[in-house]
Amino acid sequence: QAIQFTLADMATELEAARRIRALERPGAPPPILGFSGEDRLDLRMECMAAGMDGYLPKPFTADELRGALERG
């Protein structure tokens, strides 16, 4: 099964997540994940507050990405 997703840098991810969540209609919302080269709790919390479903510090493996998308 194919999974669609978009990668963006952290500066634009937060605002994009807020806008996507604000425009959502009822149904299955798309998973939104944050990515950063730093594994910091404050970044994780900021991503969750913006409406993201998860956060992965880089580098990450294909299995980690797949798992995060499936949980999202």
Side-chain angles (χ1 to χ4, degrees), residues 4-26:
Q4 281 191 312
F5 63 94
T6 301
L7 294 175
D9 64 43
M10 186 56 73
T12 58
E13 283 183 23
L14 296 169
E15 184 58 29
R18 288 183 191 102
R19 289 179 183 208
I20 290 167
R21 294 301 186 223
L23 297 173
E24 278 181 354
R25 296 184 178 162

mmCIF file of all heavy atoms in Angstrom, residues 4-26:
data_model
loop_
_atom_site.group_PDB
_atom_site.id
_atom_site.type_symbol
_atom_site.label_atom_id
_atom_site.label_comp_id
_atom_site.label_asym_id
_atom_site.label_seq_id
_atom_site.Cartn_x
_atom_site.Cartn_y
_atom_site.Cartn_z
ATOM 1 N N GLN A 4 1.234 8.505 0.912
ATOM 2 C CA GLN A 4 1.656 9.818 0.434
ATOM 3 C C GLN A 4 2.052 10.680 1.609
ATOM 4 O O GLN A 4 1.390 10.697 2.642
ATOM 5 C CB GLN A 4 0.518 10.510 -0.315
ATOM 6 C CG GLN A 4 0.333 10.024 -1.713
ATOM 7 C CD GLN A 4 -0.622 10.930 -2.462
ATOM 8 O OE1 GLN A 4 -1.684 11.253 -1.967
ATOM 9 N NE2 GLN A 4 -0.225 11.333 -3.641
ATOM 10 N N PHE A 5 3.145 11.410 1.441
ATOM 11 C CA PHE A 5 3.555 12.365 2.458
ATOM 12 C C PHE A 5 4.457 13.403 1.826
ATOM 13 O O PHE A 5 4.978 13.218 0.739
ATOM 14 C CB PHE A 5 4.247 11.677 3.641
ATOM 15 C CG PHE A 5 5.530 10.979 3.282
ATOM 16 C CD1 PHE A 5 6.739 11.626 3.415
ATOM 17 C CD2 PHE A 5 5.519 9.682 2.813
ATOM 18 C CE1 PHE A 5 7.923 10.986 3.085
ATOM 19 C CE2 PHE A 5 6.698 9.031 2.481
ATOM 20 C CZ PHE A 5 7.897 9.687 2.617
ATOM 21 N N THR A 6 4.628 14.516 2.533
ATOM 22 C CA THR A 6 5.475 15.609 2.068
ATOM 23 C C THR A 6 6.532 15.889 3.112
ATOM 24 O O THR A 6 6.237 15.886 4.303
ATOM 25 C CB THR A 6 4.631 16.881 1.842
ATOM 26 O OG1 THR A 6 3.631 16.589 0.887
ATOM 27 C CG2 THR A 6 5.482 18.022 1.370
ATOM 28 N N LEU A 7 7.757 16.123 2.672
ATOM 29 C CA LEU A 7 8.831 16.520 3.573
ATOM 30 C C LEU A 7 9.054 18.024 3.430
ATOM 31 O O LEU A 7 9.115 18.537 2.325
ATOM 32 C CB LEU A 7 10.127 15.782 3.232
ATOM 33 C CG LEU A 7 10.135 14.277 3.435
ATOM 34 C CD1 LEU A 7 11.454 13.687 2.926
ATOM 35 C CD2 LEU A 7 9.955 13.933 4.896
ATOM 36 N N ALA A 8 9.174 18.714 4.537
ATOM 37 C CA ALA A 8 9.440 20.153 4.520
ATOM 38 C C ALA A 8 10.392 20.468 5.661
ATOM 39 O O ALA A 8 10.544 19.685 6.583
ATOM 40 C CB ALA A 8 8.137 20.935 4.700
ATOM 41 N N ASP A 9 11.023 21.634 5.602
ATOM 42 C CA ASP A 9 11.905 21.972 6.716
ATOM 43 C C ASP A 9 11.074 22.438 7.911
ATOM 44 O O ASP A 9 9.914 22.783 7.786
ATOM 45 C CB ASP A 9 12.951 23.016 6.304
ATOM 46 C CG ASP A 9 12.345 24.343 5.928
ATOM 47 O OD1 ASP A 9 11.434 24.813 6.635
ATOM 48 O OD2 ASP A 9 12.782 24.928 4.935
ATOM 49 N N MET A 10 11.693 22.425 9.096
ATOM 50 C CA MET A 10 10.963 22.708 10.335
ATOM 51 C C MET A 10 10.336 24.093 10.352
ATOM 52 O O MET A 10 9.254 24.283 10.889
ATOM 53 C CB MET A 10 11.900 22.545 11.542
ATOM 54 C CG MET A 10 11.222 22.685 12.884
ATOM 55 S SD MET A 10 9.827 21.565 13.148
ATOM 56 C CE MET A 10 10.658 20.025 13.383
ATOM 57 N N ALA A 11 10.983 25.062 9.737
ATOM 58 C CA ALA A 11 10.450 26.429 9.759
ATOM 59 C C ALA A 11 9.081 26.503 9.107
ATOM 60 O O ALA A 11 8.209 27.236 9.561
ATOM 61 C CB ALA A 11 11.426 27.384 9.070
ATOM 62 N N THR A 12 8.869 25.758 8.035
ATOM 63 C CA THR A 12 7.581 25.806 7.346
ATOM 64 C C THR A 12 6.634 24.708 7.816
ATOM 65 O O THR A 12 5.437 24.817 7.628
ATOM 66 C CB THR A 12 7.769 25.688 5.828
ATOM 67 O OG1 THR A 12 8.452 24.474 5.524
ATOM 68 C CG2 THR A 12 8.534 26.861 5.277
ATOM 69 N N GLU A 13 7.167 23.654 8.434
ATOM 70 C CA GLU A 13 6.323 22.545 8.870
ATOM 71 C C GLU A 13 5.267 22.973 9.880
ATOM 72 O O GLU A 13 4.115 22.545 9.793
ATOM 73 C CB GLU A 13 7.173 21.451 9.532
ATOM 74 C CG GLU A 13 7.931 20.597 8.584
ATOM 75 C CD GLU A 13 8.690 19.506 9.318
ATOM 76 O OE1 GLU A 13 8.314 19.143 10.439
ATOM 77 O OE2 GLU A 13 9.663 19.010 8.743
ATOM 78 N N LEU A 14 5.657 23.755 10.848
ATOM 79 C CA LEU A 14 4.726 24.133 11.908
ATOM 80 C C LEU A 14 3.543 24.917 11.362
ATOM 81 O O LEU A 14 2.390 24.606 11.666
ATOM 82 C CB LEU A 14 5.448 24.924 12.996
ATOM 83 C CG LEU A 14 6.524 24.144 13.744
ATOM 84 C CD1 LEU A 14 7.356 25.079 14.605
ATOM 85 C CD2 LEU A 14 5.921 23.036 14.569
ATOM 86 N N GLU A 15 3.805 25.922 10.554
ATOM 87 C CA GLU A 15 2.722 26.726 9.985
ATOM 88 C C GLU A 15 1.879 25.891 9.023
ATOM 89 O O GLU A 15 0.653 25.999 9.013
ATOM 90 C CB GLU A 15 3.268 27.966 9.291
ATOM 91 C CG GLU A 15 2.185 28.895 8.766
ATOM 92 C CD GLU A 15 1.225 29.392 9.845
ATOM 93 O OE1 GLU A 15 1.609 29.514 11.024
ATOM 94 O OE2 GLU A 15 0.047 29.658 9.499
ATOM 95 N N ALA A 16 2.515 25.055 8.230
ATOM 96 C CA ALA A 16 1.769 24.201 7.296
ATOM 97 C C ALA A 16 0.843 23.261 8.058
ATOM 98 O O ALA A 16 -0.321 23.084 7.670
ATOM 99 C CB ALA A 16 2.736 23.412 6.427
ATOM 100 N N ALA A 17 1.323 22.666 9.137
ATOM 101 C CA ALA A 17 0.493 21.755 9.931
ATOM 102 C C ALA A 17 -0.713 22.489 10.501
ATOM 103 O O ALA A 17 -1.839 21.982 10.449
ATOM 104 C CB ALA A 17 1.314 21.130 11.054
ATOM 105 N N ARG A 18 -0.495 23.686 11.021
ATOM 106 C CA ARG A 18 -1.618 24.465 11.571
ATOM 107 C C ARG A 18 -2.668 24.759 10.493
ATOM 108 O O ARG A 18 -3.869 24.640 10.723
ATOM 109 C CB ARG A 18 -1.101 25.777 12.154
ATOM 110 C CG ARG A 18 -0.321 25.616 13.433
ATOM 111 C CD ARG A 18 0.105 26.974 14.000
ATOM 112 N NE ARG A 18 1.064 26.799 15.064
ATOM 113 C CZ ARG A 18 2.373 26.974 14.948
ATOM 114 N NH1 ARG A 18 2.893 27.398 13.808
ATOM 115 N NH2 ARG A 18 3.173 26.769 15.969
ATOM 116 N N ARG A 19 -2.212 25.143 9.309
ATOM 117 C CA ARG A 19 -3.143 25.467 8.223
ATOM 118 C C ARG A 19 -3.893 24.239 7.719
ATOM 119 O O ARG A 19 -5.086 24.302 7.455
ATOM 120 C CB ARG A 19 -2.398 26.136 7.072
ATOM 121 C CG ARG A 19 -1.947 27.524 7.414
ATOM 122 C CD ARG A 19 -1.202 28.160 6.274
ATOM 123 N NE ARG A 19 -0.714 29.462 6.658
ATOM 124 C CZ ARG A 19 -0.521 30.445 5.815
ATOM 125 N NH1 ARG A 19 -0.744 30.273 4.531
ATOM 126 N NH2 ARG A 19 -0.073 31.599 6.234
ATOM 127 N N ILE A 20 -3.181 23.126 7.585
ATOM 128 C CA ILE A 20 -3.835 21.888 7.132
ATOM 129 C C ILE A 20 -4.899 21.465 8.132
ATOM 130 O O ILE A 20 -6.028 21.142 7.754
ATOM 131 C CB ILE A 20 -2.795 20.769 6.930
ATOM 132 C CG1 ILE A 20 -1.920 21.083 5.713
ATOM 133 C CG2 ILE A 20 -3.481 19.409 6.773
ATOM 134 C CD1 ILE A 20 -0.684 20.213 5.600
ATOM 135 N N ARG A 21 -4.562 21.464 9.402
ATOM 136 C CA ARG A 21 -5.532 21.057 10.433
ATOM 137 C C ARG A 21 -6.731 22.010 10.485
ATOM 138 O O ARG A 21 -7.855 21.585 10.714
ATOM 139 C CB ARG A 21 -4.865 20.960 11.804
ATOM 140 C CG ARG A 21 -3.828 19.853 11.907
ATOM 141 C CD ARG A 21 -4.420 18.494 11.629
ATOM 142 N NE ARG A 21 -3.443 17.445 11.873
ATOM 143 C CZ ARG A 21 -3.270 16.407 11.082
ATOM 144 N NH1 ARG A 21 -4.007 16.265 9.995
ATOM 145 N NH2 ARG A 21 -2.370 15.500 11.371
ATOM 146 N N ALA A 22 -6.512 23.291 10.255
ATOM 147 C CA ALA A 22 -7.611 24.266 10.280
ATOM 148 C C ALA A 22 -8.582 24.058 9.121
ATOM 149 O O ALA A 22 -9.764 24.387 9.236
ATOM 150 C CB ALA A 22 -7.057 25.686 10.253
ATOM 151 N N LEU A 23 -8.105 23.504 8.010
ATOM 152 C CA LEU A 23 -8.938 23.319 6.824
ATOM 153 C C LEU A 23 -9.531 21.920 6.699
ATOM 154 O O LEU A 23 -10.291 21.666 5.774
ATOM 155 C CB LEU A 23 -8.118 23.621 5.559
ATOM 156 C CG LEU A 23 -7.605 25.041 5.419
ATOM 157 C CD1 LEU A 23 -6.664 25.151 4.225
ATOM 158 C CD2 LEU A 23 -8.768 26.011 5.283
ATOM 159 N N GLU A 24 -9.205 21.035 7.611
ATOM 160 C CA GLU A 24 -9.654 19.648 7.505
ATOM 161 C C GLU A 24 -11.166 19.510 7.579
ATOM 162 O O GLU A 24 -11.838 20.252 8.280
ATOM 163 C CB GLU A 24 -9.036 18.804 8.624
ATOM 164 C CG GLU A 24 -7.661 18.365 8.324
ATOM 165 C CD GLU A 24 -7.084 17.517 9.442
ATOM 166 O OE1 GLU A 24 -7.716 17.360 10.499
ATOM 167 O OE2 GLU A 24 -5.984 17.047 9.236
ATOM 168 N N ARG A 25 -11.622 18.525 6.859
ATOM 169 C CA ARG A 25 -13.032 18.150 6.899
ATOM 170 C C ARG A 25 -13.144 16.828 7.647
ATOM 171 O O ARG A 25 -12.157 16.123 7.798
ATOM 172 C CB ARG A 25 -13.566 18.007 5.480
ATOM 173 C CG ARG A 25 -13.537 19.320 4.745
ATOM 174 C CD ARG A 25 -14.152 19.186 3.399
ATOM 175 N NE ARG A 25 -14.133 20.508 2.766
ATOM 176 C CZ ARG A 25 -14.280 20.702 1.502
ATOM 177 N NH1 ARG A 25 -14.468 19.682 0.685
ATOM 178 N NH2 ARG A 25 -14.259 21.921 1.006
ATOM 179 N N PRO A 26 -14.348 16.467 8.075
ATOM 180 C CA PRO A 26 -14.507 15.182 8.766
ATOM 181 C C PRO A 26 -14.015 14.028 7.896
ATOM 182 O O PRO A 26 -14.100 14.061 6.673
ATOM 183 C CB PRO A 26 -16.011 15.091 8.990
ATOM 184 C CG PRO A 26 -16.490 16.507 8.971
ATOM 185 C CD PRO A 26 -15.592 17.220 7.991
#
